[in-house]
Amino acid sequence: MAAPLTGTRVLDLSTGAVGGIATMVLADFGAEVVKVEPVGGDPWRSLAAAPMWLRGKRSLELDVVEERARLDKLIREADVVVSTDSPATARARRLEYADVRALNEAAVFCSITGFGPTGPYAEYPAYEALVSAKSGRMLSFAGQRLREGPAFAAVPVGAHGASQGAVQGILAALIERQRCGLGQIVETSLLQGLMPFDLLLLLLTQLSEREPEVYPQVFNIGGGMPTLNYHPVMTRDGRWIQLGNLLEHLFYAFMDAADLTLLFAEEQWQGGQAEWTPEATEEMRDRILERMQEKTCDEWMEIFRAQGNVAAEPFTPTHDAVDNLDMAANSDIITLEDPELGSVKQVGPIAHLRETPAEISRPAPAVGEANGFTWPSRNGAVPMMTSPNGANPSGKPLDGFTILEFATIIATPIGVSMLADLGARVIKVEPIGGDPFRGMGGGPLRGLLAAKTNAAKESICIDLKSEEGQAIVADLITQADAIVHNYRPGVPDRLGIGYETAKAINPEIVWVSANGYGPDAPGARRPSAHPIPGAVIGGALFQAGSAMPPVGCETIEEIREASRQLMRANEANPDPNTGLLVASATLLGLYAQRRYSVGQEIYVNMLTANAYANSDDFLQYKGKVPRRQVDGELYGTAPWHRLYEASEGWVFLAAVTDDEWSAFSHEAAPELADRDRISEDALIAALGDVFAQAPASEWERRLTAIGVGCVRADTGSVGEFLSADEHMLANGFSPVAEHRRLGDVRRWGPLTTMAGGRDDYGPGVLAGQETDEILDEVGRGGDIERLRSTGVVWSEPVELD
């Protein structure tokens, strides 16, 4: 069967990687993508990853101002138009949504910006580091190195979020176009792309202000020693392995594989970890670290893989992760023959759709390769298009779709929440007692993390191991469009939600499996958690900086400190990185379902998701320029892309292009105009002297006024920015929702704003909050009392004990 987007016409007016990856994904799944490049080509073609994000497209060189008639003709015949213009540039070039709609009211117009369409920062340069610094993300890395001030946020997760947000919005808008016959505006931004990566601080900031005596003001999560479950360990040959055994049974599997279970016979380690004294925990940490030094990395990994229930992988640089054996076996790495570069090894499709798979065969085009291109005649055959029915796009393009979620912790649930924000009805089917993630976080923090991962859903708690529980789920499957789960292979079949079972109940069901390694990898049945892909795909080492891991740790204290820094660098981003692909893959399946009347299996894995988040370095070809490393103290990657201390506060400077540097030097440091003649060390020292002459806020005001990227990087925490910054409020990026336990709170806004947005985004739900209503809906309302008393269903009390 053909790829989902076969015949869909995409006009790519974007420049750079964010729009480039979004339209690449569309091309991978069949879309006809024409990239309109300025004369001379996209200025970001020089990036090392450009051969990947240009693949599968045609290149048309065109001056969109001087050759407007040609551009207008292309717009009239396109299904999708993608732009990365800032709001002012779009106005100046007459390429706003109103301009496109006047030419083609059926076109979906996707706008990708840096900070969003309005507000005081709307015209700031669209560099991820600027957004990261301004929004408080860099401040959240303070303390990773033992110095004062914010630290550089290395992995471009905002770009990953925005590119997948664009994919999701475009697919959802095309689905809605089938119903109403009209296109709509789809908006996302680097700022929205970063929001999935805050799991707590927006909510905690509000609660701390409301009840400071109850909720701690914790604005720097994860600064201490790692838990024993999530611990980096050094092996005999000086290499490092990341452990990721979050759940208790996995930790015990690791202890068994490491031959340390005899320690549990000692009195201080009786019971679970929660019962150990701090002194006992630290002694156990040392025992583990000492034991890991008795074998090499390869020896330990052979043991862990053979055991089968230990989550562990070695720390690997991204450029070496391209040779990952699990990804290769799962067909997640492909090679395209480029006419100029030769073989280009790169990440494959975002997901494996069994019935409507990706089709990736064409390498990046040369600039202007398709000059003179016009769309061929369709003879009226427009994919997924109907005549207008009088209805306008609603801001809820997935209204009418029902998705069943069988997933725990972060990665998959956060992805499904993105679908709920697009209007889908999501029913989260939880075990008795709820998703284990709900119980994480001690004291008043308990349950807060789940507010993010369960936003806008409904919840029912069912004993899936019981015959009656599986019968209830079968009733739900008859009404569903998709099932999304994160179980390891074999488990869904035992719980009555395997693909063949679901397909027998509902032949057009879209069945999405998300796990660590993918179904065809050697590690398919091994467990995984967020630090595992963070380590093995290279994001953790990139964030750790060039000083990590240290060479020649000789004492336990040195190993402990290195492990602290490595775990601090291996932050929670791999889970949201995966969730983004879960949402995009599910939408591809729903689009194919509507277009071809087909259900299918879809597979997403954490390794591929994190390869996409690190795609600026996840490819190999002869002559590739290495990714610039973060310096050892985590200030940045270059003198012109770096944190500096001002006379008051810290700034982040992003003067990347020659024009930006010229404007900067003219305003602030004329003596540094010819930066190519100054060594980087000398340039850093000189810029340090320049920025020390004025406060950070003054530098931001002066330099942004002339179009140079420079922002204060220490104004406040991520939570303070997301909850109260005037720019967030102006864009509606933190809407208020009524949580059943917490009352009215601002929640994280949508990754993608559809049709101008809406103000009724749902709150996080408690476990089993809608159990009774859902049972009544499937005709079991009369059995509720019996089902509860026999433990088949359950609901979490509103008030905590």
Side-chain angles (χ1 to χ4, degrees):
M1 190 173 294
L5 292 165
T6 299
T8 304
R9 296 174 171 180
V10 178
L11 191 63
D12 182 1
L13 304 180
S14 73
T15 59
V18 181
I21 290 175
T23 54
M24 179 207 77
V25 171
L26 303 179
D28 287 352
F29 286 91
E32 300 172 1
V33 179
V34 174
K35 180 174 176 60
V36 175
E37 306 193 57
V39 176
D42 185 329
W44 302 107
R45 272 182 172 260
S46 59
L47 294 176
M52 183 269 291
W53 49 259
L54 288 167
R55 74 187 183 206
K57 305 175 185 178
R58 305 177 192 274
S59 170
L60 179 61
E61 240 180 334
L62 189 148
D63 186 318
V64 300
V65 175
E66 297 297 325
E67 300 176 86
R68 186 55 185 255
R70 286 187 65 200
L71 179 64
D72 286 354
K73 187 174 188 300
L74 291 167
I75 291 173
R76 288 189 186 97
E77 298 175 354
D79 298 299
V80 178
V81 179
V82 179
S83 170
T84 51
D85 282 352
S86 73
T89 300
R91 284 193 298 274
R93 301 206 307 170
R94 293 186 294 115
L95 282 172
E96 297 180 285
Y97 174 53
D99 301 305
V100 171
R101 183 169 184 174
L103 295 167
N104 181 355
E105 67 176 7
V108 172
F109 181 79
C110 179
S111 170
I112 308 169
T113 57
F115 285 85
T118 191
Y121 319 137
E123 292 300 324
Y124 282 16
Y127 293 126
E128 170 151 349
L130 289 178
V131 184
S132 178
K134 187 65 182 174
S135 66
R137 180 168 166 78
M138 288 193 186
L139 196 60
S140 71
F141 284 99
Q144 181 182 322
R145 293 292 286 173
L146 299 178
R147 66 166 179 82
E148 296 296 319
F152 183 71
V155 181
V157 295
H160 178 53
S163 65
Q164 294 304 317
V167 170
Q168 293 164 28
I170 289 167
L171 288 167
L174 288 172
I175 288 172
E176 189 167 37
R177 187 177 75 163
Q178 184 191 33
R179 294 201 291 255
C180 70
L182 295 173
Q184 62 183 281
I185 186 168
V186 173
E187 295 168 293
T188 190
S189 61
L190 291 171
L191 177 56
Q192 288 167 278
L194 280 175
M195 284 197 285
F197 300 90
D198 172 46
L199 299 173
L200 177 62
L201 293 183
L202 167 60
L203 181 58
L204 183 57
T205 298
Q206 297 171 81
L207 297 177
S208 297
E209 293 171 352
R210 185 187 300 175
E211 300 181 72
E213 71 284 359
V214 176
Y215 293 98
Q217 293 189 8
V218 180
F219 300 134
N220 193 331
I221 303 297
M225 290 299 294
T227 67
L228 301 185
N229 309 65
Y230 276 6
H231 215 295
V233 295
M234 192 181 80
T235 60
R236 189 175 69 194
D237 51 353
R239 294 174 64 191
W240 286 79
I241 291 175
Q242 174 69 61
L243 305 177
N245 301 293
L246 175 62
L247 302 178
E248 186 177 54
H249 72 282
L250 300 179
F251 176 68
Y252 285 121
F254 158 72
M255 294 293 284
D256 177 59
D259 198 19
L260 289 170
T261 54
L262 287 177
L263 294 176
F264 295 132
E266 298 185 26
E267 182 178 355
Q268 61 187 322
W269 294 309
Q270 297 289 307
Q273 288 187 55
E275 301 174 47
W276 299 352
T277 66
E279 293 76 16
T281 298
E282 294 311 308
E283 185 176 347
M284 179 63 81
R285 188 190 312 277
D286 289 347
R287 297 284 189 96
I288 291 171
L289 293 175
E290 289 166 356
R291 175 68 173 134
M292 289 298 100
Q293 293 179 74
E294 295 178 13
K295 297 181 186 295
T296 66
C297 177
D298 289 343
E299 289 170 339
W300 278 123
M301 287 308 305
E302 184 177 357
I303 291 170
F304 295 153
R305 290 175 180 132
Q307 204 281 344
N309 216 29
V310 176
E313 288 289 351
F315 283 82
T316 308
T318 298
H319 54 80
D320 288 344
V322 184
D323 295 319
N324 183 276
L325 297 179
D326 282 291
M327 290 188 68
N330 206 54
S331 301
D332 292 321
I333 298 172
I334 63 171
T335 300
L336 295 178
E337 292 299 321
D338 187 283
E340 294 185 8
L341 302 173
S343 296
V344 180
K345 197 174 186 179
Q346 58 197 275
V347 65
I350 62 170
H352 295 284
L353 281 64
R354 294 303 198 209
E355 297 296 325
T356 58
E359 300 172 355
I360 307 173
S361 60
R362 296 209 322 256
V367 176
E369 184 178 79
N371 281 351
F373 173 84
T374 58
W375 301 112
S377 173
R378 277 175 158 169
N379 295 319
V382 179
M384 294 279 282
M385 179 64 182
T386 65
S387 299
N389 64 5
N392 288 316
S394 63
K396 302 178 183 180
L398 297 186
D399 188 24
F401 286 82
T402 298
I403 298 169
L404 301 182
E405 176 197 309
F406 299 84
T408 59
I409 316 299
I410 300 172
T412 302
I414 202 171
V416 182
S417 71
M418 297 170 192
L419 302 175
D421 281 349
L422 290 171
R425 181 190 188 192
V426 174
I427 300 174
K428 182 179 178 73
V429 182
E430 306 188 50
I432 302 300
D435 180 340
F437 195 50
R438 295 182 180 277
M440 295 181 185
L445 299 184
R446 181 184 168 204
L448 295 188
L449 289 161
K452 172 70 172 277
T453 56
N454 296 307
K457 302 175 184 177
E458 299 170 30
S459 172
I460 180 172
C461 293
I462 304 176
D463 178 5
L464 289 181
K465 297 178 181 179
S466 71
E467 184 176 339
E468 196 160 17
Q470 292 186 12
I472 295 170
V473 167
D475 290 339
L476 293 174
I477 291 173
T478 63
Q479 306 173 19
D481 298 283
I483 289 172
V484 186
H485 75 86
N486 66 350
Y487 291 117
R488 285 189 267 170
V491 177
D493 296 305
R494 295 198 295 273
L495 298 179
I497 59 168
Y499 178 62
E500 293 302 327
T501 300
K503 180 182 177 182
I505 298 170
N506 183 344
E508 292 188 9
I509 197 76
V510 173
W511 188 89
V512 182
S513 169
N515 60 24
Y517 296 90
D520 303 315
R525 294 183 179 272
R526 293 179 61 213
S528 186
H530 88 258
I532 298 303
V536 77
I537 300 300
L541 283 182
F542 189 33
Q543 178 60 51
S546 60
M548 285 284 126
V551 177
C553 287
E554 296 181 355
T555 68
I556 283 293
E557 285 305 314
E558 289 175 330
I559 294 173
R560 285 167 65 101
E561 174 56 19
S563 72
R564 183 194 71 80
Q565 292 194 35
L566 285 171
M567 190 61 228
R568 188 72 184 84
N570 201 357
E571 52 132 7
N573 76 63
D575 269 342
N577 286 341
T578 305
L580 288 158
L581 262 60
V582 168
S584 297
T586 304
L587 276 158
L588 283 165
L590 292 174
Y591 186 90
Q593 180 194 66
R594 288 300 187 264
R595 183 173 184 185
Y596 301 130
S597 299
V598 62
Q600 61 183 309
E601 298 169 90
I602 298 176
Y603 292 91
V604 178
N605 69 75
M606 298 185 80
L607 299 186
T608 297
N610 283 276
Y612 267 82
N614 289 275
S615 61
D616 57 332
D617 198 38
F618 194 94
L619 69 170
Q620 291 177 355
Y621 56 88
K622 187 176 180 180
K624 176 195 163 204
V625 177
R627 173 163 68 177
R628 270 186 170 266
Q629 293 303 297
V630 184
D631 68 273
E633 291 300 316
L634 304 183
Y635 291 111
T637 57
W640 47 85
H641 194 247
R642 190 183 188 278
L643 287 158
Y644 290 94
E645 190 169 10
S647 65
E648 179 187 347
W650 290 75
V651 297
F652 188 87
L653 173 69
V656 177
T657 68
D658 288 343
D659 286 346
E660 289 166 347
W661 183 261
S662 177
F664 164 75
S665 60
H666 179 78
E667 171 68 21
E671 70 279 9
L672 302 179
D674 193 354
R675 60 179 170 181
D676 293 337
R677 301 186 64 172
I678 307 171
S679 73
E680 291 198 5
D681 287 345
L683 192 55
I684 289 170
L687 288 169
D689 292 340
V690 169
F691 283 112
Q693 296 171 13
S697 297
E698 173 67 13
W699 284 117
E700 177 174 342
R701 184 192 63 78
R702 286 173 57 186
L703 295 177
T704 57
I706 58 171
V708 173
C710 182
V711 298
R712 183 161 187 170
D714 64 342
T715 303
S717 72
V718 167
E720 292 170 312
F721 180 88
L722 296 183
S723 64
D725 190 274
E726 60 178 323
H727 187 85
M728 288 289 296
L729 301 181
N731 284 280
F733 287 165
S734 53
V736 174
E738 185 181 358
H739 189 279
R740 184 167 291 188
R741 178 179 293 154
L742 304 173
D744 284 352
V745 290
R746 290 196 176 276
R747 52 147 284 181
W748 297 264
L751 175 64
T752 308
T753 306
M754 307 294 296
R758 54 192 178 91
D759 57 5
D760 59 344
Y761 295 99
V765 297
L766 304 181
Q769 183 169 308
E770 287 79 22
T771 292
D772 291 357
E773 293 88 338
I774 294 170
L775 288 173
D776 187 62
E777 186 178 326
V778 297
R780 295 174 183 266
D783 294 335
I784 291 174
E785 185 176 343
R786 179 183 60 81
L787 292 170
R788 286 187 176 278
S789 65
T790 56
V792 176
V793 300
W794 178 84
S795 295
E796 173 185 7
V798 174
E799 298 298 328
L800 288 172
D801 295 334

